[in-house]
Amino acid sequence: MLTIKTFPCNMLAENCYVVSDETRECVIIDCGAYYSEEGQAIVNYIKENNLSPCHLLCTHGHFDHCMGNGIIFRAFGLKPKAHQDDSFLMEKMEQQTSEILGIPIHLDVPPVDRYFTDSDTITFGSHTWQILHTPGHTPGGIVFYDAAEHIAFSGDTLFRMSIGRTDFERGSYADMIASLHMLATKLPSDTKIYAGHGPETTMADEIRYNPYMR
């Protein structure tokens, strides 16, 4: 059974997740910690619960989901993993802050450890996750899906009653709608969705109430 701890991070209220199981192995998803107290809270949680971090995962390459990658690298030696189609974003992390926020922010982040393809999986502890490619918000957006427990981490593809923006560099509304359709057909209705911003939701609620899913 998975234990999921949520850490809201940075000026954009991004959700970082630390996910562990009974083996005490864990993964860190979208470490957007920018302020020192945010990063310290994540590191303290991992250490105080005697967790063993295995992967630093990125649902996509936008800076607000990756600002804390350096904190995780310095604390545990992990470098980020992301989809290959977001390599252009992962390789210009600081430039993104100027382009999106209008001001440059220094980010001390490590290089990417590995780029995923659509056929890859994530294994830690007793769990194996599917990687579902969901372009739209970015070309390399991905959802991490645990089929055994009906849990998915949707990044900025799907929010509670909303979706991620598609007007950033190489975003695509048509791709986003196709990705949402794919999720609606692949994920059971009782799948719990942990989004990149805001509260969790379920596929049943999104299919029924989210206007973009109709």
Side-chain angles (χ1 to χ4, degrees):
M1 183 174 180
L2 294 176
T3 298
I4 301 168
K5 177 69 173 178
T6 307
F7 295 89
C9 291
N10 67 53
M11 63 288 291
L12 298 179
E14 178 270 341
N15 290 329
C16 171
Y17 298 102
V18 178
V19 186
S20 58
D21 68 10
E22 68 281 356
T23 70
R24 296 198 178 277
E25 290 190 346
C26 73
V27 298
I28 301 137
I29 303 173
D30 287 355
C31 187
Y34 175 67
Y35 303 107
S36 59
E37 59 269 25
E38 296 171 343
Q40 196 59 55
I42 295 169
V43 171
N44 288 347
Y45 172 80
I46 292 171
K47 291 182 175 180
E48 289 169 1
N49 287 277
N50 297 313
L51 302 181
S52 177
C54 298
H55 304 286
L56 173 56
L57 306 176
C58 304
T59 60
H60 64 291
H62 280 155
F63 75 93
D64 57 316
H65 291 251
C66 300
M67 298 175 94
N69 287 349
I71 293 169
I72 301 303
F73 175 67
R74 289 187 291 275
F76 305 109
L78 293 179
K79 296 179 182 178
K81 298 177 172 73
H83 193 277
Q84 60 185 359
D85 290 352
D86 270 8
S87 59
F88 75 104
L89 290 171
M90 299 299 293
E91 292 165 8
K92 64 167 190 176
M93 201 60 62
E94 289 192 1
Q95 184 180 336
Q96 287 187 54
T97 66
S98 297
E99 295 172 349
I100 296 175
L101 296 180
I103 56 172
I105 295 177
H106 174 66
L107 299 176
D108 183 14
V109 295
V112 173
D113 174 53
R114 172 187 168 194
Y115 283 113
F116 295 125
T117 62
D118 297 357
S119 61
D120 286 330
T121 58
I122 296 293
T123 299
F124 71 100
S126 61
H127 289 76
T128 298
W129 289 358
Q130 298 176 36
I131 294 175
L132 305 179
H133 186 200
T134 55
H137 182 64
T138 67
I142 49 181
V143 168
F144 299 109
Y145 174 49
D146 189 313
E149 301 207 21
H150 291 190
I151 289 172
F153 298 87
S154 62
D156 284 6
T157 295
L158 180 61
F159 302 138
R160 179 168 175 78
M161 305 305 149
S162 189
I163 61 174
R165 292 173 58 171
T166 60
D167 58 338
F168 292 127
E169 181 180 9
R170 292 178 59 185
S172 167
Y173 183 76
D175 286 349
M176 176 67 88
I177 296 302
S179 293
L180 295 172
H181 177 74
M182 180 273 290
L183 291 177
T185 57
K186 279 203 169 188
L187 302 186
S189 61
D190 64 343
T191 303
K192 193 167 187 178
I193 308 293
Y194 290 85
H197 301 264
E200 62 265 21
T201 185
T202 65
M203 280 306 300
D205 281 353
E206 296 311 304
I207 291 170
R208 185 174 182 181
Y209 299 114
N210 190 326
Y212 298 97
M213 300 282 288
R214 294 174 184 169

